[in-house]
Every structure is written in structure tokens, then in C-alpha cells.
Amino acid sequence: MYEFISGPLALISFAIFFVGIITRIVWYVKGLDWRLDRVAYTEKLGAGITGAARSLFHWLLPFNRTTANHPVFMAVTYLFHICLVIASIFLVAHVVLIEESWSISWITIPDYIADYMTLAVIAAGIFFLIRRLTDPNVKILTTASDYIVLAIALAPFITGYIAYHQWMDYKFWLIVHILCGEIMLIAIPFTKLSHFFLFFCSRIQLGMDYGIKRGGAKGRGIAW
Amino acid sequence: MAEEAKSQDLPPLVTRKPVKTKEELDLLLADRGVRYYKELEVFPVDTAALKKTLDATCKSRIRTWLEICAHCSLCADTCFFYLANDNDPKQIPSYKIKSTLGELVKRKGDVDTQFMINCMDTAWGKCTCCNRCGMYCPHGIDMGVMFGYLRGLCFSQGFVPHEMKIGSGMHWIYNAQMDVTVEDYVDTCKWMVEENEEYYPGLEIPVDKVGADIMYVVNAREPKHYPQDLAEAAILFHLAGESWTVPSKGWEGTSLAMFAGDWACCKQQVENVYAAMERLKVKRYVGTECGHQHRATITEGPYWAGRKSGDPPVPGLHYVEWVLEALETGKLKLDPAKKIKEPVTLQDPCNYIRNHGLTDVTRKIMSYIAEDFREMSPNREHNFCCGGGGGMNGIGRYRKERNIGLKVKRDQILATGAKFVVSACHNCWDAIRDLEEVYKIGIKWSFLKPILLDMVIVPDHLKPKEEE
């Protein structure tokens, strides 16, 4: 069981993850149309790149008005995303597994930091859940898939935490953890989790729109 | 009974086609919306055509926006309709687009009449396409752009507010948003010269002057209802010593077709203006104090006209850009003693501030004309829509919604303590006038031209000769 889940299934999950992402990015870029979108993407590429860079800078970092207007929610959101990405990519156990399978490796973070980050992801996830259940503004927008997506994103962290601390049957929770991770990898290209990479597409597109057409050439650098 | 039978004999008012003849237009104008909306209640949706349009035009950008919306509600308080309606969750931009365009895409166009009427009431009655929400979405989702797209879908199916159908019809027939012909326009130009040349010797409004530096393009409301505005523009160009002209054909720069979502008409309208630029071989275009005219002719227009560069044939300036240039170069000199003494505030129109970055231009102008200039809060690209943009001012069906929406602008103005609002945009000007009418807060409002004319120093050689 463990061999299958951590071997071929992991390979398949990563394959779906990467092929899915690349396919969707290609689909996204091919679907951009200077006439329909009314943005001269290629003719004014320079202004577009400047706009895109500005857009990414202001939104990858907390230099935007939404962060100023909603500091608590945005702080939790930044924390959630940063911890989620760093803890899963730089965890010693993950890097070791990948090195054993594919002979590639990279730097790692100490386990106790990953442990705190995991707790932060779970805590932020609970915050999002409570907000979804109680805030009338969020409630009206929420669909079943929002809960499923949140569950998919949190499951690897909850199961990973249980497995790491060996509270219960380690082998069982390890298998569940790996399965949850694989479900997440597979879900990323096909669900709202696709914002993992489509966020960049969308931000770059809007940045180009503003940079090329909506005042990029004339304004003083609007942080859209 | 007899009356019903009679109305059945009349040609239908609701169709999926734009209005292109005077007869159809007169019929719509005479109806005032009563029979029109009755017909709309039972007008069928051509689902096959809708699906075809979606397949052809709803591409990765919009589909991605709809898909990756995190349903986080951060856009809620960015929308003035949400704020003005006591934080009603049904006014959250994300909810509004998700329940209309989102569903439409999900169902691949398989929707019914009531659904389309809801789309129409949302796209025109709950959104002015001010694009403010898009500036605050962490994912970069521009719901204003999507509502513009939805308007196009609605128009193609005939589900469009009465006045918008008329508006695009006017553009099809007159190449103007109102029934002003080229002859009417040229006559108005002559008339305005006659009225004012006594005070400004040598004043002219050169029509179709080839090779002029500036081609000035107006909003049809000006010749139709406020011809004095045209005279003021002429006087200011005259005093600044500009080489300028107005085109006969192609004189009108606005586009109610853009508000209506009639993209074919947008193309025809803007190509008229571009043809005039090329015919008259002018160096630059200057548009009047209108926000959506600038958006339609300079920002979006090139794309409708199929210009790959995204630029109009000659550089396009909004009136405020020309004013600032004239002030900074000294072409226009203002009498500092005549600066406005009382507190004065400034309305930032979405269409050339948020959507064309002219944020500092108007502020620099204010430094020439006002002693006590007070910013609204928020301002510049973060400013709220006046409440009347995107065609909202002109649609009777949503008058109640519009008036509720005006509360946000009212409170912004009141907070400045100023009783005088400068607005270099026709729609903002109207909305502010109407908010005074509805809420009576004791304010005045003005375009820039009358203020400038009041302060400008007339060079000696342009002064009328004293009678001996």
C-alpha cells in the first residue's frame, strides 16, 4: 500500500499537476485576444511588462489598498499562503523523499519551523471556515465547492501534523497524509485551487491592461 | 380588448437588432418604455445564438476570472452601491457578476427570459462599470469589464434598457447620441460665433480646416442643450492662439453605444471620428469635458476600429490635458486675483482617472483656479463613481436605484466642507446636479470652461476696440 501510494501514485499526481498547470497556462495565454480584451498585448509589450511587474509587486507584497482596508483578513491570508507553500516545499521529509526517488534536492527548513507553519496554516484555515459560516457577505458568495476546496487544502496539513507527532497509528496517518497531498496536487489544475498559478496569469493580464491602455503611459503608476 | 388588439398590430419594439431607421426610433421614443418593458417580459431568449456568442467571445480571461474568484467578499466595500444600500450582500460586485454572467457561462447560454431580465437589471441597474472593484481584488478580477461584456450579451439578445436601445439607435442614425445632424451642428457653430464675436473680435469656429493643430470634438448634448459650452471652448482656443478646427462629419465623440453594449455601433461611431482626424490631417485630438467620450474615442475606440496599436490615428487628449498644457505653457493666463475663494472640491471621473491615469492633471489645474481646494476622500483612482456613470443617469427604470447610489457621492462632498464641485465630465456633472435636486445639500457645480473663462486674462490685441 505505502509503496504504491508513495511511488507510482505520487508520480502520477505530480505528472497531472505539472501537465495540468502547463496546459492551463497555455490555454490561458492562447485565449487572450487583443481585440476582444481590448489590450494591445504584443504591440505595446514594454508598457505591458512594466504594468504586469507593478501589479505583481503590489499584490505579492502587502503594498495595496485592500491590505490597508482589511488588515486582519489580509494578514491571515498572507500568512496562510506563505506557510502553505514554504512548509510543503522545504520540509526535510519531503525533500528527502524526492531526493531518494529522483535524485534532486534543495534547501530545507528546520522541522520545528515547519511545525509552526503547519499550525499557522490550520489556524488560518479555521479562520476562513468561521468567516465563511458567519459573515453575511461571505455566506452569500459561498458554494459547496468552497468548503471542499478548503478541505482539500487543509487535509495534508492536518494529517501531516498528526503523522509527524505520531499521536496515533503512524503508518496509517502517513498513508492518509500522502493521499491527501496527492489529492491536492491533482485538484490544483481542475478546481479553484488553480489560482495557485492562474493568480499570476490574472494579475499579469490586468497589470498589462492598465499598463498599456488604462493610463499606464500617462498616469503616475496606479497600483491596481 | 380593443386596445390590446390595436397594440398587437403595431410593429414590435423589442427586437434583437439595433435600431437603424428613423421610423423605428420614433416608435421607441413615443413609447416611453411602457409597451417596451411589457414586451420584454415575454420576449424569448435565442439560447442557440447566445451559446454561439459565448463560445466565440468568452475566452480565457473572463472564464478564469469567474473560476478563480475566491468568494472572499473583499470587493464588497469597494462598490458604492453596496455602501449606499446599507451593506446589502446582494450588492457585492462578486455576487452580482456570479449570479448573472457566472450562471450564464455555467449554463452555456441555456437561460430564460426572467434570467435575462435579471441580467439586464443587474448590468445596468446595479453597476456603472466604474471598474473600482477591480482595483481592490487581490486576484485582479475586474468585474466592471465583465459587466461591460455582459451588457454586450444582453444587447445581442434584445434585453437592454429602453433608453440604451434608443441611444445606440441615435448613433446608428445620426452618428451622435442625440438627433443632431451635421447641418445642425455646423449651424450651431456659426450661431455661437455670431453671438460672441462682438466681445471677442476675430473669434471663429473653423469647420473642417485641414492641417490644424487640434481637432476639437464635442458631446452632442452641447450643441443640443448647452451651445454656450461650444462657444466657451471656442473662446478659450481663440484666446490661447490655437490652430484648431471642428470636423463636420465626425463631430461627436460620445458613445451611448458603449453603455448599451452595441459593439458594432461603437465601431461605426468611432471610425467616423477617426476618419475626420485623417481627412483633416490634424496633429492632435482634444475632446470636450466628458468622461465616457474619452473612454470611447481614445481608450477603447482604437480596439473597436481594429487598430492593433491600441492608439487612435492621432494622439488624443482629454480637455483637462489641453487646459493644463495651456496653463503651463502660458497660452492661457489666469488672473490670480480671480481665483475661487470659497472651498472647492473636485470630482474624479472614472473614465479618465481610474481608466486613463490622468490623476494629477486635474489637481494641477485646481492649483491655478482655487485658493481653498479640498480633496474628497477617497480620491484620484480610488474615487467613487459619481453614481450616474455607465448610462445610469439616463435610464428611467433605475432612477430609484440611481438616487440611492448618489448618497455616497453626497456624503463625500459634504465631508469636504466645500459647497462648490468642479466636474470635468458630463455624466458626473449631471449626477451632482441631480443629487442636489434630490438631497438639497446646497452645493453648486461647474465644468471647467466657465470657471476658466471667468478668470482668463484677455490679451490686449484680442480685446474689442473701444467705441470712439
Side-chain angles (χ1 to χ4, degrees):
Chain A
M1 186 69 167
Y2 174 79
E3 280 65 35
F4 173 70
I5 285 171
S6 63
L9 199 58
L11 198 65
I12 292 167
S13 311
F14 273 110
I16 293 173
F17 172 74
F18 284 114
V19 174
I21 288 178
I22 292 165
T23 311
R24 292 214 58 182
I25 291 177
V26 170
W27 167 81
Y28 184 88
V29 175
K30 279 179 78 174
L32 295 178
D33 182 315
W34 70 272
R35 256 191 116 154
L36 284 175
D37 301 350
R38 302 204 291 267
V39 180
Y41 296 115
T42 49
E43 290 276 319
K44 290 208 166 59
L45 194 59
I49 289 169
T50 313
R54 190 180 285 127
S55 180
L56 286 172
F57 173 80
H58 281 283
W59 290 92
L60 282 174
L61 300 173
F63 304 132
N64 52 71
R65 278 237 177 163
T66 302
T67 301
N69 292 347
H70 300 273
V72 176
F73 177 78
M74 288 299 277
V76 175
T77 305
Y78 276 110
L79 187 75
F80 175 80
H81 285 91
I82 291 166
C83 291
L84 185 144
V85 170
I86 291 181
S88 52
I89 296 180
F90 300 104
L91 185 80
V92 175
H94 288 179
V95 175
V96 168
L97 272 176
I98 286 175
E99 194 177 7
E100 281 173 2
S101 308
W102 301 317
S103 309
I104 44 166
S105 81
W106 50 81
I107 53 157
T108 56
I109 52 166
D111 272 1
Y112 76 93
I113 291 182
D115 214 36
Y116 283 128
M117 285 186 156
T118 303
L119 283 178
V121 170
I122 296 168
I126 292 168
F127 171 84
F128 293 146
L129 179 67
I130 292 170
R131 192 170 170 271
R132 253 195 212 296
L133 289 166
T134 56
D135 186 326
N137 285 348
V138 193
K139 259 161 92 178
I140 196 172
L141 296 170
T142 299
T143 56
S145 73
D146 292 315
Y147 291 114
I148 296 169
V149 162
L150 185 60
I152 291 174
L154 285 183
F157 291 85
I158 296 170
T159 55
Y161 195 79
I162 295 172
Y164 176 75
H165 289 277
Q166 309 200 0
W167 290 341
M168 290 169 270
D169 180 353
Y170 171 69
K171 197 83 187 174
F172 170 77
W173 283 101
L174 183 66
I175 288 172
V176 175
H177 169 67
I178 298 172
L179 265 178
C180 287
E182 288 163 353
I183 289 171
M184 184 165 170
L185 285 176
I186 295 169
I188 284 175
F190 303 108
T191 64
K192 239 181 236 305
L193 292 176
S194 56
H195 77 269
F196 171 65
F197 55 95
L198 290 177
F199 161 87
F200 293 91
C201 294
S202 174
R203 280 246 73 92
I204 289 170
Q205 191 281 327
L206 193 68
M208 290 183 88
D209 184 334
Y210 270 96
I212 290 167
K213 182 173 78 168
R214 295 196 241 172
K218 285 187 171 178
R220 49 172 178 86
I222 293 176
W224 40 84
Chain B
M1 248 342 238
E3 232 174 287
E4 239 171 59
K6 203 175 137 201
S7 82
Q8 272 163 10
D9 295 338
L10 292 167
L13 292 172
V14 175
T15 65
R16 294 188 191 96
K17 293 202 166 62
V19 168
K20 290 189 181 179
T21 67
K22 205 165 170 311
E23 293 69 42
E24 292 169 285
L25 185 67
D26 287 343
L27 210 62
L28 266 177
L29 282 166
D31 171 63
R32 296 185 170 274
V34 181
R35 178 158 77 89
Y36 180 85
Y37 287 119
K38 237 182 207 165
E39 282 184 25
L40 208 58
E41 290 287 334
V42 291
F43 191 67
V45 183
D46 182 349
T47 52
L50 195 50
K51 183 178 183 304
K52 220 173 131 196
T53 309
L54 279 172
D55 288 344
T57 60
C58 190
K59 297 294 185 75
S60 61
R61 176 179 67 155
I62 287 179
R63 286 180 193 272
T64 299
W65 277 342
L66 290 169
E67 181 183 339
I68 67 171
C69 170
H71 297 164
C72 69
S73 86
L74 287 182
C75 56
D77 61 5
T78 68
C79 178
F80 73 96
F81 276 121
Y82 170 84
L83 298 171
N85 287 282
D86 304 321
N87 302 352
D88 178 2
K90 289 213 158 103
Q91 290 283 359
I92 299 175
S94 168
Y95 176 79
K96 289 186 273 194
I97 201 69
K98 178 173 122 76
S99 58
T100 53
L101 182 64
E103 273 298 304
L104 196 60
V105 171
K106 205 186 268 173
R107 295 195 212 165
K108 298 183 167 62
D110 189 14
V111 296
D112 60 16
T113 301
Q114 275 313 309
F115 183 92
M116 288 306 287
I117 289 176
N118 181 48
C119 282
M120 175 184 85
D121 288 343
T122 310
W124 279 279
K126 293 180 178 177
C127 177
T128 60
C129 297
C130 79
N131 301 87
R132 190 171 190 271
C133 49
M135 282 197 56
Y136 289 80
C137 171
H139 281 181
I141 301 171
D142 196 328
M143 288 146 276
V145 168
M146 287 199 272
F147 271 114
Y149 175 69
L150 178 62
R151 287 180 177 199
L153 294 179
C154 288
F155 188 91
S156 72
Q157 288 289 324
F159 290 89
V160 51
H162 183 240
E163 295 85 348
M164 293 290 104
K165 187 89 175 190
I166 293 172
S168 101
M170 288 284 182
H171 282 286
W172 278 115
I173 298 161
Y174 296 99
N175 284 312
Q177 62 160 285
M178 289 172 180
D179 52 351
V180 180
T181 63
V182 170
E183 292 71 37
D184 295 339
Y185 180 65
V186 173
D187 281 349
T188 310
C189 291
K190 278 188 200 146
W191 171 41
M192 280 301 113
V193 172
E194 284 160 16
E195 289 274 308
N196 291 281
E197 62 191 345
E198 183 188 339
Y199 314 103
Y200 298 95
L203 179 73
E204 44 171 1
I205 299 183
V207 180
D208 287 336
K209 186 170 118 189
V210 177
D213 288 343
I214 289 170
M215 178 174 103
Y216 180 63
V217 171
V218 302
N219 175 325
R221 284 159 49 110
E222 294 164 358
K224 178 98 176 172
H225 297 305
Y226 316 100
Q228 188 55 33
D229 193 285
L230 183 58
E232 288 161 356
I235 294 163
L236 289 166
F237 282 136
H238 171 69
L239 297 180
E242 291 285 13
S243 148
W244 71 295
T245 185
V246 295
S248 53
K249 197 166 182 317
W251 58 273
E252 149 81 307
T254 70
S255 184
L256 291 186
M258 174 172 76
F259 291 159
D262 183 354
W263 310 128
C265 184
C266 289
K267 178 173 154 65
Q268 178 196 277
Q269 175 61 31
V270 79
E271 280 177 345
N272 245 303
V273 183
Y274 292 172
M277 292 174 180
E278 278 160 351
R279 187 178 77 238
L280 301 179
K281 299 181 176 61
V282 292
K283 291 201 181 79
R284 297 193 296 177
Y285 155 107
V286 174
T288 189
E289 293 178 71
C290 177
H292 93 274
Q293 164 172 347
H294 189 73
R295 180 100 176 252
T297 306
I298 303 305
T299 319
E300 312 283 1
Y303 298 97
W304 294 323
R307 300 181 66 86
K308 219 171 171 202
S309 65
D311 292 325
V314 299
L317 274 68
H318 188 273
Y319 196 73
V320 296
E321 293 179 277
W322 176 77
V323 169
L324 182 62
E325 183 190 287
L327 291 172
E328 286 186 334
T329 56
K331 282 181 186 171
L332 281 181
K333 285 195 178 63
L334 304 184
D335 181 353
K338 287 188 175 164
K339 268 188 168 185
I340 305 167
K341 306 281 185 297
E342 65 172 303
V344 53
T345 188
L346 170 74
Q347 162 63 7
D348 284 310
C350 311
N351 280 329
Y352 64 86
I353 302 292
R354 182 156 37 251
N355 286 295
H356 208 194
L358 304 181
T359 44
D360 291 333
V361 175
T362 41
R363 286 171 172 76
K364 286 183 189 157
I365 296 173
M366 292 309 284
S367 73
Y368 283 89
I369 63 173
E371 280 188 1
D372 184 2
F373 167 52
R374 303 194 181 174
E375 288 279 11
M376 287 187 203
S377 173
N379 55 53
R380 294 182 166 87
E381 69 269 25
H382 297 285
N383 193 25
F384 286 109
C385 169
C386 59
M392 192 85 178
N393 272 335
I395 306 174
R397 186 175 167 94
Y398 310 125
R399 184 42 54 97
K400 195 173 129 248
E401 286 80 355
R402 202 280 311 255
N403 288 351
I404 293 170
L406 291 175
K407 286 196 290 188
V408 171
K409 188 53 60 189
R410 175 198 67 187
D411 295 346
Q412 266 191 298
I413 294 171
L414 283 173
T416 65
K419 296 285 180 195
F420 189 9
V421 188
V422 171
S423 160
C425 168
H426 273 276
N427 264 315
C428 298
W429 189 94
D430 272 9
I432 292 163
R433 177 199 60 199
D434 288 2
L435 91 79
E436 173 59 23
E437 200 178 288
V438 177
Y439 296 107
K440 301 195 172 43
I441 55 171
I443 52 166
K444 335 178 262 192
W445 56 95
S446 177
F447 287 113
L448 277 171
K449 294 183 197 99
I451 299 174
L452 293 169
L453 205 53
D454 203 39
M455 295 179 188
V456 73
I457 299 169
V458 180
D460 283 339
H461 68 283
L462 295 177
K463 282 181 180 157
K465 298 268 182 301
E466 294 285 328
E467 298 274 329
E468 291 299 320

